[in-house]
């Protein structure tokens, strides 16, 4: 039986939530490696070390759960979360420096935004973290992690001195795993800017306030051992090497179930996206069955469809929730979400094979899509199916700028998009078949009627009015009447002219 390591999927969660929280792509992986070493130096047994390992990877699993509310208040939820990772609420000088942080994305509005933050965040932050804790309690067990790891996730924003959120727990009431991750994370963040000396200085400064002083002392006694570069240059591989034995594994058939957890993290980014990823996956899987794909390909197809929008988390929620037109800069940011989907998935061995499938859902038949600009005919059928399923699902769901389209209208738009060089025609037909619908007939051009098209087809092939009449069981006079209307409507006056017209408009099939 083929298996995958659960840690690979946890690494994908970490990569996704890194960029959702405004962090560098591997910050969570580096924190995991450091925290695991620190736990061992502190004398943790194998189970305790595993709890630290899992907690570090899932530390920000709830980061999208309150993104729309944070965006409504502060404009950019991603940039705000990056500030929250570093700010020390016990240090008045740091709080006073919030204006400088906000200037990076708020410009002239930074001073007012900083005042708003100081005034409302004690309430807003508590509510945000309660959302995050509930998200952790719901999604953590679905990823197969230990109960102690799920419990530790509720303490990731608490502090040793009790000045954290959401409950203000303090001291030994905090999970040992969370306290270990607190030290490792601050060391990693400070070390990225100031090297080993910067990490040491920041952990020492926060010791007894934000950080458990005993664990801080363990770090300060051997900072090189905690932050040493791993044997592997690849951060995912380093995390897999750091995982305590025995390694947790699941059958490869479980990948779609684990992928669904990641999909829910993504879909919480906006109230307009809730359930979208699983909607796309259901349509894609149905289309794959209609195409006769084998079980392994169907599994990969469903996983790719579930994870196609991972990169959405990089984009501030306010952009997804905008009812009006996006600016050029915002549009460019949106177009990058497929790049981030590919970049995250290709880093994880268990998911790397589906990266090209999941990230191609905005490519077009005419080569005008993004982010690669590949014509869809060059893509595998599975990638074309995900793209068609994504488009049809989006059309049938409400968005900030429009209501949902009724199914028949959505089907017509899907077919029109394919006709105009967008989605793949074969994939569209399979997606519609999965819904129990057939592709709606395209409107006939220039007001032609069904009978006129029947006459045109035969006349274009050179049949006389008498021959056309015999074929269609109508009189030659009636044929001439139809031909007069055909010439008037098409602007053509010869058999060659209407033959070209028929080919141009695909009327000869």
């Amino acid at each position: 039986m083929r298996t995958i390591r659960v840690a690979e999927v946890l690494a994908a969660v970490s990569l996704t939530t890194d960029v959702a929280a405004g962090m560098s792509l591997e910050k969570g992986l580096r924190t995991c490696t450091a925290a695991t070493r620190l736990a061992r130096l502190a004398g943790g047994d194998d189970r305790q070390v595993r709890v630290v390992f899992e907690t570090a990877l899932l530390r920000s699993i709830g980061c999208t759960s309150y993104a729309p509310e944070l965006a409504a208040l502060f404009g950019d939820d991603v940039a705000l979360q990056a500030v929250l990772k570093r700010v020390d609420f016990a240090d008045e000088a740091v709080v006073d420096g919030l204006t400088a942080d906000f200037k990076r994305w708020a410009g002239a509005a930074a001073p007012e935004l900083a005042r708003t933050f100081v005034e409302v965040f004690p309430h807003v932050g508590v509510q945000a973290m309660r959302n995050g804790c509930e998200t952790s309690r719901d999604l953590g067990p679905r990823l197969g992690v230990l109960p102690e790891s799920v419990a530790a996730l509720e303490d990731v924003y608490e502090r040793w001195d009790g000045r954290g959120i959401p409950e203000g727990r303090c001291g030994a009431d905090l999970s040992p795993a969370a306290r270990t991750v607190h030290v490792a994370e601050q060391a990693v963040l400070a070390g990225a800017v100031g090297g080993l000396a910067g990490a040491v200085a920041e952990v020492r400064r926060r010791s007894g306030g934000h950080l458990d002083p005993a664990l801080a002392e363990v770090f300060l006694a051997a900072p090189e051992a905690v932050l040493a570069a791993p044997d592997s240059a690849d951060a995912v591989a380093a995390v897999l090497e750091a995982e305590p034995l025995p390694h947790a594994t699941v059958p490869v058939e479980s990948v779609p179930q684990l992928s669904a957890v990641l999909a829910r993290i993504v879909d919480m980014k906006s109230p307009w996206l809730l359930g979208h990823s699983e909607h796309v996956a259901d349509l894609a899987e149905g289309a794959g069955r209609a195409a006769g794909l084998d079980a392994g390909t169907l599994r990969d197809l469903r996983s790719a469809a579930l994870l196609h929008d991972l990169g959405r988390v990089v984009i501030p929620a306010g952009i997804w929730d905008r009812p009006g037109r996006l600016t050029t800069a915002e549009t460019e940011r949106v177009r990058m979400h497929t790049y981030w989907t590919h970049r995250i998935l290709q880093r994880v061995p268990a998911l790397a094979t589906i990266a090209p499938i999941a990230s191609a859902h905005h490519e077009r038949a005419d080569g005008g899509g993004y982010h690669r600009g590949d014509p869809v005919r060059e893509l595998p059928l599975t990638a074309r199916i995900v793209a068609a399923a994504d488009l049809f699902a989006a059309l049938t769901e409400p968005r900030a700028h429009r209501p949902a389209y009724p199914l028949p209208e959505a089907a017509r738009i899907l077919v029109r998009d394919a006709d105009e060089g967008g989605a793949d025609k074969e994939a569209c037909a399979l997606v519609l078949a999965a819904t129990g619908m057939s592709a709606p007939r395209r409107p006939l051009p220039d007001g032609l009627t069904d009978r006129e098209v029947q006459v045109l087809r035969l006349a274009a092939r050179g049949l006389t009015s008498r021959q056309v009449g015999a074929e269609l069981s109508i009189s030659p006079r009636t044929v001439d009447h139809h031909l007069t209307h055909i010439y008037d409507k098409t602007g053509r006056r010869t058999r060659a002219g209407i033959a070209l017209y028929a080919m141009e408009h695909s009327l000869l099939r």
Side-chain angles (χ1 to χ4, degrees):
M1 179 177 65
R2 289 181 58 208
T3 63
I4 64 162
R5 287 172 61 179
V6 173
E8 294 183 43
V9 178
L10 300 187
V13 175
S14 179
L15 291 167
T16 302
T17 56
D18 272 346
V19 292
M23 296 285 100
S24 61
L25 187 60
E26 297 177 347
K27 169 262 175 187
L29 301 180
R30 294 194 300 272
T31 298
C32 176
T33 304
T36 304
R37 292 170 175 168
L38 181 60
R40 293 194 187 282
L41 288 173
D45 61 30
D46 286 345
R47 187 176 181 92
Q48 291 168 332
V49 173
R50 173 166 291 281
V51 173
V52 169
F53 175 85
E54 294 174 346
T55 302
L57 290 176
L58 298 182
R59 180 248 184 276
S60 295
I61 191 173
C63 66
T64 58
S65 61
Y66 210 65
E69 291 83 355
L70 293 179
L73 282 168
F74 302 108
D76 188 331
D77 60 292
V78 178
L80 177 70
Q81 292 200 61
V83 171
L84 294 180
K85 288 288 191 297
R86 295 181 172 90
V87 69
D88 183 351
F89 290 99
D91 186 335
E92 294 301 326
V94 174
V95 174
D96 291 342
L98 283 170
T99 298
D101 289 318
F102 289 152
K103 277 184 179 177
R104 295 170 190 165
W105 81 87
E112 181 179 351
L113 204 60
R115 285 194 297 272
T116 301
F117 180 90
V118 173
E119 291 171 4
V120 308
F121 193 76
H123 169 72
V124 172
V126 167
Q127 189 56 49
M129 292 312 108
R130 284 181 176 154
N131 275 261
C133 291
E134 190 160 33
T135 298
S136 304
R137 287 194 296 270
D138 183 86
L139 298 183
R142 300 173 193 270
L143 289 168
V145 300
L146 294 173
E148 300 99 306
S149 305
V150 176
L153 293 171
E154 302 204 15
D155 288 337
V156 293
Y157 275 101
E158 301 288 1
R159 294 168 50 103
W160 176 261
D161 60 10
R163 299 182 65 172
I165 53 177
E167 305 302 335
R169 287 190 292 272
C170 64
D173 289 340
L174 303 182
S175 158
R179 284 183 267 144
T180 305
V181 172
H182 289 165
V183 174
E185 181 176 49
Q186 291 305 317
V188 166
L189 287 171
V193 178
L196 187 64
V200 167
E202 187 65 9
V203 170
R204 181 173 286 121
R205 188 183 73 80
R206 292 183 182 238
S207 178
H210 181 188
L211 306 179
D212 177 345
L215 283 169
E217 282 304 313
V218 173
F219 169 79
L220 294 170
E224 300 92 341
V226 176
L227 295 178
D231 294 336
S232 173
D234 180 83
V236 173
V239 162
L240 296 178
E241 291 170 6
E243 182 186 9
L245 294 171
H247 297 155
T249 62
V250 293
V252 70
E253 287 75 20
S254 299
V255 171
Q257 287 79 10
L258 296 174
S259 298
V261 178
L262 259 170
R264 289 167 195 169
I265 295 171
V266 172
D267 287 1
M268 284 192 296
K269 182 74 178 185
S270 166
W272 301 103
L273 300 176
L274 296 176
H276 172 71
S277 296
E278 287 176 275
H279 187 185
V280 174
D282 289 342
L283 287 170
E285 185 176 13
R289 293 187 188 283
L293 301 181
D294 62 72
T297 306
L298 280 174
R299 180 189 65 242
D300 288 347
L301 173 60
R302 182 169 184 85
S303 296
L306 284 164
L307 301 178
H308 75 285
D309 266 345
L310 277 190
R312 276 188 187 266
V313 299
V314 185
I315 316 302
I319 292 178
W320 299 121
D321 296 345
R322 177 79 54 76
R325 292 179 63 86
L326 301 181
T327 66
T328 301
E330 289 169 338
T331 300
E332 287 304 310
R333 293 186 75 174
V334 166
R335 287 169 64 91
M336 287 298 292
H337 81 273
T338 57
Y339 160 80
W340 282 106
T341 293
H342 188 273
R343 189 172 177 191
I344 291 168
L345 291 176
Q346 71 176 348
R347 295 294 311 280
V348 181
L351 303 174
T353 57
I354 66 172
I357 302 170
S359 61
H361 59 284
H362 284 292
E363 304 294 354
R364 289 175 53 89
D366 60 13
Y370 58 87
H371 62 284
R372 298 184 193 86
D374 291 337
V376 295
R377 66 179 177 274
E378 299 178 4
L379 301 175
L381 177 60
T382 47
R384 289 179 272 143
I385 286 174
V386 171
D390 175 53
L391 176 54
F392 188 72
L395 289 168
T396 58
E397 298 164 359
R399 292 291 183 263
H401 61 285
R402 59 155 175 82
Y405 289 101
L407 287 177
E409 179 64 14
R412 282 191 287 272
I413 295 172
L414 181 70
V415 170
R416 184 172 69 233
D417 181 78
D419 286 342
E420 294 174 351
D424 176 69
K425 292 183 179 182
E426 178 187 8
C428 290
L430 289 168
V431 168
L432 292 175
T435 70
M437 304 172 68
S438 58
R441 190 180 69 176
R442 296 185 298 273
L444 295 173
D446 296 314
L448 293 171
T449 66
D450 288 337
R451 178 61 87 181
E452 288 166 354
V453 170
Q454 291 173 339
V455 171
L456 184 151
R457 286 173 179 155
L458 297 173
R461 293 192 172 99
L463 276 66
T464 66
S465 295
R466 185 178 297 278
Q467 290 170 323
V468 172
E471 188 78 24
L472 298 178
S473 300
I474 56 178
S475 70
R477 186 183 181 91
T478 301
V479 173
D480 289 338
H481 179 75
H482 286 311
L483 282 171
T484 298
H485 287 295
I486 290 168
Y487 291 137
D488 288 343
K489 291 178 179 180
T490 64
R492 307 308 202 268
R493 288 293 177 265
T494 65
R495 185 203 64 79
I498 62 172
L500 289 170
Y501 179 91
M503 288 187 286
E504 178 186 347
H505 292 88
S506 303
L507 297 177
L508 297 173
R509 297 174 187 173

